[in-house]
Amino acid sequence: MKIDTAGLAALLKAQIENYSKEIKTDSVGTVVTVGDGIASIYGLDEAMLGELLLFPHGVYGMAMNLNSEDVGAVLLGNDEDIKEGDEIKRTGKVVEVPVGDELLGRVVNALGAPIDGKGPIKAKASRPIERIAPGVMKRKSVDTPLMTGIKAIDAMIPIGRGQRELIIGDRQTGKTAIALDAIINQKNAIGKKIKCVYCAIGQKNSSVASLVEKLRESDCLSYCTVVSASSSEPAPLLYIAPFAAMAMAEEWMEKGEDVLIVFDDLSKHAVAYRALSLLLKRSPGREAYPGDIFYLHSRLLERACRLNEENGSGSITALPIVETQAGDISAYIPTNVISITDGQIFLLTDYFNAGQRPAIDSGFSVSRVGSSAQFKAMKKVAASLKIELASYREMLSFSQFGSDLDSSTKKILSHGAVLMEALKQPQYSPFGLSKQVIALSCVKTGLLDDLDLPKVNPLLDDFYARLRSLRPEIVESIDSTFDLTNENAEAIKEELSAYLQSAKE
Ligand code: ATP
Ligand code: MG
């Protein structure tokens, strides 16, 4: 794809005109070498790190290396027309993107220029893409749930508003699907509404287009902004894309709103940054990544947080995605991002291929802060799930050796199998709180343990519909108080056994 240099240049020019007073026209440099999207410039002594530089033919660049002899800059456009000896001007400002509600429902590139053919974005404000994360005193701990609508996640790996939760797994294991379902579920968010920013890094244009189409179909585009730096764009645009998306989210957070941001994915972001760094002749480190790759991702994700009341109580919840190779979570980028985030959702290829979808491995997945934000009703039915699944998996490997199983082992096996089945969920069908709670409390009763597995989910759906018509007060009480009283839990059990009895007859 050819970059729309003219469009980008017009956008950046408009931004720079606001700052024309600051432009240091006396500070002019000369291109020494240019190639591979990188230019070395002599004479820009006072250039700032990350400053926007104006090249001839309306091409912009960003200062990345400030050496004693020269400045290394990456070009945010075509380098074909740039040659040695060209004159470069400083602009006195860093890269900025438009921010605000005008971006809702739009698809933009890494510089905030629209790429959805719906005309210009008349944003009233803009922000630098890099910013120092809010300090400790401005923050508050996570205390409000962000429901993804996916049973397995909301029950076992709950996410709170302001949390950073990594989605990690091999290719084609349903990583994007989880993030997309979480975005779609915000249509029915409990409490304060949530705005969503989806940042696609290094993906095919066609994948991004079908994701946008899905959002439109599900009526969710109105509260979403999609930022896309596709695989055909130069590495510098891939590098700045997540920072640009974060700047857009920050604008809303500072206005007191809750935002969900997805980075799909940071592995490709790291590869783009590695390409840039190697071209800039920075020394390679582990896996040839530059030494500051950890700092790059930590300063990005540290900007996602929950602000306290004095600062408007807004929040940014970040769901970064990382792709692993053959499930190896000990590679460089996965270990980095695991240590930066507040937990991870680990997806397994084996589960995915066996039809266990979403393919979440409850053993490796964890949410370090989300449980303090989990709804009470969910806490009550989900408390023992992880342990039950762990003992199920342990027994499963045992049972392969011998056929003589005692009754308690058999019980663990059949209960675990039903639980695994109940945690399956198709794409694009987020569950509300009461539906999740009732499904899990049905499984918890143990009454379903000797059911044929394919019957479990249809039965749970049917039972929920029946309960809603027979005992609407139970469903309403869960949805309004977010709690499951003992009486209601008992009533659900009674209704379930009556329902199973009537099904038998
Ligand atoms: P990539 O590595 O290519 O980015 P990914 O890990 O993001 O892949 P997805 O694109 O989300 O994976 O999903 C892969 C395929 O699996 C898609 O065709 C998707 O429709 C399907 N899929 C994902 N989740 C589910 C689910 N819960 N139920 C059924 N199908 C699913
Ligand atoms: Mg994907």
Side-chain angles (χ1 to χ4, degrees), residues 92-104:
K93 64 182 290 259
V94 292
V95 181
E96 293 199 351
V97 286
V99 294
D101 286 351
E102 293 80 6
L103 283 150
L104 290 174

Side-chain angles (χ1 to χ4, degrees), residues 82-399:
I82 316 288
K83 50 186 193 311
E84 276 172 38
D86 277 350
E87 223 173 57
I88 311 299
K89 282 187 188 144
R90 283 183 60 198
T91 62
K93 64 182 290 259
V94 292
V95 181
E96 293 199 351
V97 286
V99 294
D101 286 351
E102 293 80 6
L103 283 150
L104 290 174
R106 303 299 303 262
V107 186
V108 297
N109 69 10
L111 292 164
I115 51 172
D116 53 5
K118 285 198 213 158
I121 293 174
K122 298 197 178 67
K124 294 185 198 74
S126 63
R127 267 173 174 269
I129 59 166
E130 290 263 14
R131 210 197 58 153
I132 297 174
V136 176
M137 299 311 287
K138 285 187 171 179
R139 295 179 183 226
K140 205 176 96 171
S141 55
V142 168
D143 61 0
T144 318
L146 182 139
M147 300 274 288
T148 60
I150 299 170
K151 280 177 280 187
I153 296 179
D154 291 340
M156 294 187 292
I157 321 149
I159 300 173
R161 296 187 188 189
Q163 183 173 349
R164 298 153 302 169
E165 183 79 13
L166 169 67
I167 301 173
I168 185 168
D170 282 2
R171 53 174 295 278
Q172 288 291 304
T173 47
K175 303 183 295 296
T176 306
I178 288 186
L180 182 58
D181 277 346
I183 292 179
I184 290 176
N185 191 46
Q186 301 320 315
K187 195 160 64 171
N188 315 314
I190 297 174
K192 206 151 82 171
K193 289 285 165 230
I194 296 189
K195 294 202 163 80
C196 302
V197 181
Y198 176 83
C199 177
I201 309 159
Q203 294 193 40
K204 289 181 302 223
N205 278 324
S206 60
S207 327
V208 181
S210 62
L211 183 130
V212 172
E213 193 45 46
K214 195 72 219 172
L215 287 175
R216 194 193 322 276
E217 254 172 47
S218 328
D219 247 351
C220 300
L221 206 54
S222 58
Y223 59 83
C224 295
T225 301
V226 177
V227 180
S228 170
S230 76
S231 48
S232 59
E233 289 176 48
L237 290 175
L238 269 66
Y239 157 60
I240 64 174
F243 293 93
M246 190 54 105
M248 293 169 190
E250 266 170 352
E251 171 77 6
W252 286 314
M253 173 175 78
E254 286 181 4
K255 292 223 163 91
E257 298 186 56
D258 287 341
V259 189
L260 170 66
I261 186 164
V262 176
F263 301 110
D264 197 0
D265 62 61
L266 288 187
S267 315
K268 296 197 185 76
H269 182 241
V271 169
Y273 188 62
R274 174 170 67 184
L276 265 186
S277 299
L278 292 174
L279 288 168
L280 284 165
K281 304 207 170 64
R282 294 184 181 175
S283 50
R286 190 174 153 192
E287 292 178 23
Y289 287 106
D292 63 342
I293 190 88
F294 184 93
Y295 175 51
L296 181 78
H297 288 156
S298 58
R299 76 171 188 257
L300 171 72
L301 292 170
E302 197 59 21
R303 286 160 73 182
C305 67
R306 174 158 193 97
L307 294 177
N308 60 16
E309 278 85 15
E310 292 94 83
N311 291 285
S313 22
S315 73
I316 296 181
T317 311
L319 296 179
I321 295 178
V322 162
E323 185 182 303
T324 51
Q325 310 288 334
D328 180 14
I329 49 172
S330 58
Y332 191 28
I333 301 302
T335 43
N336 277 354
V337 186
I338 284 174
S339 65
I340 294 165
T341 46
D342 306 305
Q344 70 274 353
I345 297 170
F346 186 55
L347 302 174
L348 278 183
T349 314
D350 288 350
Y351 277 10
F352 190 84
N353 293 341
Q356 181 68 37
R357 301 176 187 182
I360 297 169
D361 178 348
S362 61
F364 277 118
S365 302
V366 61
S367 168
R368 297 192 192 101
V369 295
S371 62
S372 53
Q374 203 173 21
F375 285 124
K376 262 194 191 143
M378 197 48 126
K379 234 181 213 155
K380 283 183 184 164
V381 292
S384 57
L385 284 190
K386 270 195 157 187
I387 298 168
E388 282 170 23
L389 285 176
S391 57
Y392 165 66
R393 270 195 307 272
E394 198 180 344
M395 293 300 167
L396 199 61
S397 46
F398 259 125
S399 67

